[in-house]
Amino acid sequence: MTPVQIESFFARLAAANPEPKSELEHVNAFTLLVAVVLSAQATDKGVNKATRALFEQVTTPQAMLELGEDGLKEHIKTIGLFNSKARNVIALSEQLVRDHGGAVPADRAALEALPGVGRKTANVVLNVAFGQPTMAVDTHIFRVANRTGLAPGKTPRAVEDGLLKVVPPAYLLHAHHWLILHGRYTCTARKPKCDTCPAHDLCPRLGVAC
């Protein structure tokens, strides 16, 4: 995409959804962090179903430690890899209490030092909880960036770096949400809904059977 096309692409996504939100339910930065850790290889819908009752009871790292690993497992046992995820959540809660006074740090290095937290998770927390213009590249963003020519790359990090370079500053704060939602509901993996895409005329797939 050219710079003019990219500007138009995000302008259309913004017009359709001016204030995009994370679909992971949470009540504060800690519950967001937990939800994102649990969402690895799981759907947001499945995580929300499992955490709804959990987050009514647990909203701080100390409360999570008091619940304990076995108690946490009872809440999240419907989520894939729940055993290892429960261990990580308890371990990161211990680290937050010990090293950060029970607060979630607004710092990438500190977040990535937590058990079960990688770059993508850190990017989500920095963006959603702290309003930083990060780009959390999941499978949806990776697909959209490559399929549309917005920011082609062979790895998530390459796509992230490419997007940070080409997304206009005015759209950067919400860009990763717009792209995730676009990939999840419109520019889908198997049968992209090109006929309802607001930016179909800007896409290199134009004229190619979707």
Side-chain angles (χ1 to χ4, degrees), residues 5 14 32 46 63 66 68-69 83 85 93 119 123 129 134 148 159 166 170 189 199 202:
Q5 289 174 318
L32 172 67
E66 292 169 4
E69 187 173 329
N83 284 311
K85 289 177 181 179
S93 297
R119 185 175 183 86
N123 277 338
T134 58
T148 64
V159 169
V166 302
L202 304 174

Side-chain angles (χ1 to χ4, degrees), residues 15 27 33 63 67 79 96 115 118 132 145 158 185 197:
V27 298
L33 173 61
L67 177 66
I79 300 175
L96 289 174
Q132 296 186 25
Y185 298 112
C197 174

Side-chain angles (χ1 to χ4, degrees), residues 146-171:
N146 278 285
R147 179 183 279 169
T148 64
L150 179 61
K154 293 184 178 180
T155 66
R157 183 59 188 273
V159 169
E160 177 186 339
D161 291 342
L163 287 169
L164 290 174
K165 290 178 182 178
V166 302
V167 175
Y171 300 109

